[in-house]
Amino acid sequence: MSVVITDEVLQTIQMSDKELIQEIAILLFTQERFTLGQASNFVGMNQLEFQRLLASRKIPLHYDIAELREDVKSLEATIWIRKQLCAEILSIAGE
């Protein structure tokens, strides 16, 4: 699904498209509809950058066991992908 926000709307609300995306992510995060990871991905930031954005607005993190599990799965997937990539590179290099 795509949503188009016209330049006219952005001018009316006096925001850039990046600022509007951040506001949407923050809203969904504070409503607990986005996890920290989902919100940071939505705005194209790493989690630490998004946490800093939240902190600058004095918005507390809501981090529970489910989010911890999601982060662990994400890290495991990243590590697995890196291992696969390294193995592939080594096999191409003939090692």
Side-chain angles (χ1 to χ4, degrees), residues 16-33:
S16 69
D17 53 347
K18 183 179 178 182
E19 291 170 324
L20 181 57
I21 289 169
Q22 283 183 358
E23 293 304 315
I24 292 168
I26 290 168
L27 174 68
L28 294 173
F29 177 80
T30 58
Q31 292 178 349
E32 297 189 21
R33 294 177 181 215

Side-chain angles (χ1 to χ4, degrees), residues 56-71:
S56 74
R57 297 179 181 209
K58 303 197 183 333
I59 298 171
L61 296 178
H62 46 83
Y63 195 80
D64 60 16
I65 294 296
E67 287 180 292
L68 174 62
R69 287 185 180 130
E70 181 181 320
D71 287 345

Side-chain angles (χ1 to χ4, degrees), residues 2-18 20:
S2 296
V3 176
V4 176
I5 308 293
T6 64
D7 289 337
E8 181 182 338
V9 169
L10 292 173
Q11 288 173 354
T12 300
I13 62 174
Q14 298 180 351
M15 292 180 128
S16 69
D17 53 347
K18 183 179 178 182
L20 181 57

